[in-house]
Amino acid sequence: MNNILMKLTVALLLTASSFAVMAETKIATLNANYILAKAPQNDVVKQRLQSQFTGRQNELKRLVESLQKERDSLVKNATTMSETQITSKKRDLDKKYADLQLKDNNLKEDMERATRAEQKKLGEQIKKAIDAVSIRGGFNLVIKQQAAVFVDVSIPDITEQVLAELKK
C-alpha cells in the first residue's frame, strides 16, 4: 500500500512539474513554404544560376540547330549521294547526337548540383533568421504551420518577421 501511495505521489509531482514547464514554454508558428517562396535571396540565386549556365545552354542550342541543319542537308542531298557517303554521314550525325545528349545530361546534372548547393545555403540563411527572430521573441518552440494539425489564433505567427530578418 505504501509503495502504491509513493508511486502515485511521484506521478502527481511529475505531472505538476510538466504543467509548470508547459506554462513557461512560448510557442510560435511560421509558414515555411511562404518563406521559401518569398525569400529575397531567391532572385539572387536564380540570377547566379542563370549567369553560371547560360553559356552552356546557348552552346547546346547552337549544337541542336547545327545538327538539324546537317540532318536536313542529308535528307535533301541523299538522292545525289552514294550509299557509303550516306552511311558515313548518318554515323557522323549519330555520333554528334550522342555527344549532344552527353553534354545535355552533364549540364542538367551540374545545374541540379548547383541548385541543391544554393538551396542548402538559402536553408541555412533561413534557419539563422528563424533562430534570430525566435531568440528575440523569447520563443522556446517554433512549429511549421504545415506540420500542425491545429493552431490556435492566439499562437503568434513569425513568418513576416523571418522574412524581414532575411532582408537585412
Side-chain angles (χ1 to χ4, degrees), residues 122-149:
L122 179 58
E124 290 168 357
Q125 291 173 337
I126 290 172
K127 173 73 170 105
K128 286 179 183 177
I130 292 169
D131 290 349
V133 170
S134 298
I135 290 168
R136 263 196 320 268
F139 297 106
N140 306 92
L141 179 66
V142 177
I143 300 171
K144 288 182 185 178
Q145 290 173 349
Q146 298 86 336
V149 177

Side-chain angles (χ1 to χ4, degrees), residues 10-20:
V10 170
L12 286 172
L13 286 173
L14 288 175
T15 304
S17 68
S18 67
F19 284 130

